[in-house]
Amino acid sequence: MSLDDDQISADPIYDALKEAIMTGALPPGEPLRQEEIARNHGVSKIPVREALLRLEVDGLVLFRKNKGAIVRGHTPDEILNLMDIRSALECKALELAVPNFVESDLAAARSLLDTYSHETTSEAWSKLNLQFHRCLYEPCANHLLLEMIQDVGVRMGPSTRMLVSETSGLKRPHQEHVAILDAVAAGDTDRAVDLLRRHIETTKKEIAARLRRRPQG
């Protein structure tokens, strides 16, 4: 296989590995062996390494000296920093979105909350929480801002999102989601943004407390 062929082959490898990391099929700490990946995709190691380097730039893969690549996890400080970034970006998106909401947007958000209220697992809460927040911000009409929010979500990864859902539970986030949507429906941008900021800040404090109690090592 020529070098040009290898370079062309990097995209599907990158996409497949990214999808596996984002869905949790490849969890934090999982070794990413270039020989094995190359064999599974029927290519040389050249496009595999290119794909892994791109994933490193995305913050999803970590190269360890003389030990190869692994799926990247997050330190407690990194998780809390991502929550801060999330708050700044999402509050701005909601500020821009509220004036653009129409009834179909509200109906879609209400439907997600109704489904959310009947679920009983952290996995379902995590998935629906992500969908609800996306629904809130889509009317902002700022595609670059939405891409930045999505990038933070990718960097957090499924394991961190699950940590958030397991720590927060159902009742408190659901009540806060309803209050945020009520403010959006009323066209009260300042109140909606303030409620969202407090919602994320409360979650951050709960996560910080849980991380402090988590066994080390």
Side-chain angles (χ1 to χ4, degrees):
M1 182 175 289
S2 70
L3 180 59
D4 288 342
D5 290 337
D6 283 330
Q7 290 173 333
I8 293 171
S9 300
D11 283 346
I13 299 168
Y14 168 83
D15 291 339
L17 291 174
K18 184 174 182 178
E19 176 70 14
I21 293 170
M22 290 179 64
T23 59
L26 290 173
E30 182 79 8
L32 298 168
R33 298 180 177 88
Q34 294 186 43
E35 295 86 352
E36 181 179 339
I37 296 169
R39 184 167 59 253
N40 290 339
H41 286 268
V43 297
S44 74
K45 290 195 294 183
I46 294 173
V48 173
R49 182 163 182 82
E50 180 184 336
L52 291 174
L53 288 170
R54 288 166 61 184
L55 290 166
E56 182 183 35
V57 172
D58 291 342
L60 299 177
V61 164
L62 176 67
F63 278 91
R64 304 166 300 168
K65 188 174 182 180
N66 300 322
K67 291 185 178 180
I70 61 171
V71 178
R72 193 181 189 280
H74 293 297
T75 67
D77 283 346
E78 287 172 335
I79 292 173
L80 299 179
N81 288 340
L82 284 168
M83 295 293 291
D84 286 337
I85 296 169
R86 179 189 163 194
S87 178
L89 295 176
E90 295 185 20
C91 285
K92 185 60 181 179
L94 187 60
E95 177 189 341
L96 297 173
V98 173
N100 297 331
F101 260 80
V102 296
E103 187 54 43
S104 60
D105 297 320
L106 295 170
R110 290 190 185 105
S111 177
L112 286 169
L113 288 186
D114 182 63
T115 303
Y116 185 95
S117 68
H118 292 91
E119 293 291 347
T120 59
T121 67
S122 297
E123 290 85 355
W125 297 339
S126 179
K127 180 179 178 180
L128 288 164
N129 178 72
L130 184 62
Q131 292 176 353
F132 173 73
H133 280 268
R134 284 177 178 169
C135 191
L136 284 182
Y137 313 139
E138 282 176 355
C140 81
N142 186 321
H143 297 297
L144 181 57
L145 180 55
L146 292 173
E147 287 177 4
M148 294 171 72
I149 291 171
Q150 183 177 6
D151 181 63
V152 172
V154 169
R155 286 179 179 273
M156 290 183 74
S159 61
T160 300
R161 290 197 299 271
M162 277 297 299
L163 175 66
V164 169
S165 294
E166 290 170 355
T167 303
S168 301
L170 170 66
K171 184 176 180 181
R172 192 270 299 170
H174 180 62
Q175 290 174 339
E176 293 175 358
H177 287 160
V178 170
I180 292 167
L181 188 58
D182 286 346
V184 171
D188 192 338
T189 301
D190 290 344
R191 177 166 173 74
V193 172
D194 181 61
L195 288 171
L196 176 62
R197 184 176 291 107
R198 284 191 276 166
H199 170 67
I200 297 174
E201 184 63 29
T202 298
T203 300
K204 178 188 171 184
K205 290 178 181 178
E206 291 175 344
I207 292 295
R210 178 162 179 172
L211 292 173
R212 286 195 300 269
R213 296 190 296 267
R214 188 165 66 178
Q216 302 298 312

